[in-house]
């Protein structure tokens, strides 16, 4: 059972209460993506179209809601890595995962915070699970001769994250797809040469 499913099952037997919790979850996901994990309960309630009283009747706390939303999103990334491990072509699977991983970080301020900094949420287990899947992806590629063997698996998440940029550097504007262009360069650097 996911963290959000646990949250939904805790307190809301009535259909209208369940709808309100679902609306709060959707609003929290959007707010985390746009604002980050510092989003307020008032902002989440406003986005969900409910009052702050409904917010606190339906979820234990702002932190519990954010914990559930961010934890579930990290587990979605873990699942993407698991799917990539099923790809018969190790490099194709890794490359697909890399694009999904970086795209999610580029599009979600909160996930970027949760994966990249110390945030107030308790994410030890989801992050440990994600690290393990990335390790398996990298080792599988290296064993298949598709990825350079001199790259420790621990360097790969940093390399993938490094493709995200600000809007400008040295006076140059970033292209709309700058992270994709940077990712192509990083993947070429990770790829084993024939």
């Amino acid at each position: 059972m996911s963290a959000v499913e646990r949250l939904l099952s805790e307190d809301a037997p009535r259909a209208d209460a369940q709808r309100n919790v679902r609306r709060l979850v959707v609003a929290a996901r959007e707010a985390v993506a746009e604002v980050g994990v510092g989003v307020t309960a008032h902002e989440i309630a406003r986005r969900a179209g409910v009052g702050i009283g409904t917010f606190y009747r339906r979820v234990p706390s702002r932190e519990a809601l954010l914990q559930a939303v961010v934890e579930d999103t990290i587990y979605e990334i873990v699942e993407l890595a698991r799917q990539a491990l099923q790809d018969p072509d190790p490099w194709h699977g890794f490359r697909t995962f890399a694009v999904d991983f970086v795209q999610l970080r580029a599009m979600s301020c909160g996930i970027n915070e949760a994966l990249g900094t110390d945030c107030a949420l308790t994410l030890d287990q989801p992050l440990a699970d994600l690290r393990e899947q990335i390790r398996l992806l990298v080792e599988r590629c290296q064993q298949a001769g598709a990825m350079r063997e001199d790259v420790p698996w621990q360097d790969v998440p940093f390399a993938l994250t490094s493709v995200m940029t600000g809007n400008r550097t040295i006076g140059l504007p970033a292209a709309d797809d700058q992270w994709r262009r940077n990712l192509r360069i990083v993947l070429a650097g990770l790829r084993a040469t024939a």
Side-chain angles (χ1 to χ4, degrees), residues 9-191:
S9 68
E10 281 179 4
D11 174 40
R14 294 185 351 241
D16 64 328
Q18 285 284 341
R19 274 192 306 276
N20 284 336
V21 174
R22 283 190 178 81
R23 289 167 65 187
L24 287 165
V25 167
V26 169
R29 272 185 174 266
E30 292 171 357
V32 164
E34 293 173 25
V35 178
V37 293
V39 65
T40 66
H42 286 278
E43 176 64 13
I44 296 169
R46 182 191 68 75
R47 287 172 181 247
V50 302
I52 194 67
T54 299
F55 179 97
Y56 283 111
R57 276 193 303 279
R58 296 298 157 232
V59 296
S61 66
R62 177 189 77 89
E63 292 77 15
L65 177 58
L66 294 177
Q67 176 76 32
V69 165
V70 171
E71 186 176 310
D72 276 6
T73 304
I74 293 172
Y75 277 120
E76 288 170 16
I77 301 169
V78 169
E79 183 56 32
L80 291 171
R82 287 187 178 127
Q83 290 171 13
L85 284 165
Q86 300 306 310
D87 192 313
D89 179 341
W91 181 255
H92 182 265
F94 173 76
R95 188 179 67 228
T96 301
F97 170 77
V99 170
D100 292 340
F101 176 75
V102 175
Q103 183 172 19
L104 184 60
R105 288 194 72 162
M107 296 175 76
S108 176
C109 177
I111 296 305
N112 200 35
E113 288 173 357
L115 295 179
T117 62
D118 295 326
C119 75
L121 303 176
T122 305
L123 300 169
D124 296 342
Q125 190 58 55
L127 292 177
D129 292 346
L130 180 55
R131 284 190 300 271
E132 176 64 9
Q133 294 305 306
I134 292 173
R135 181 188 67 76
L136 292 171
L137 280 169
V138 170
E139 289 177 355
R140 181 173 181 247
C141 280
Q142 289 173 331
Q143 290 166 359
M147 185 182 290
R148 292 172 39 181
E149 290 184 10
D150 63 330
V151 177
W153 77 264
Q154 297 92 332
D155 290 350
V156 173
F158 287 100
L160 295 178
T161 301
S162 73
V163 306
M164 293 182 299
T165 64
N167 293 331
R168 299 184 73 73
T169 187
I170 65 166
L172 297 171
D176 290 340
D177 66 341
Q178 192 66 55
W179 69 266
R180 285 184 189 279
R181 294 160 71 174
N182 295 349
L183 182 57
R184 278 195 297 272
I185 295 166
V186 168
L187 291 173
L190 290 172
R191 187 81 195 250

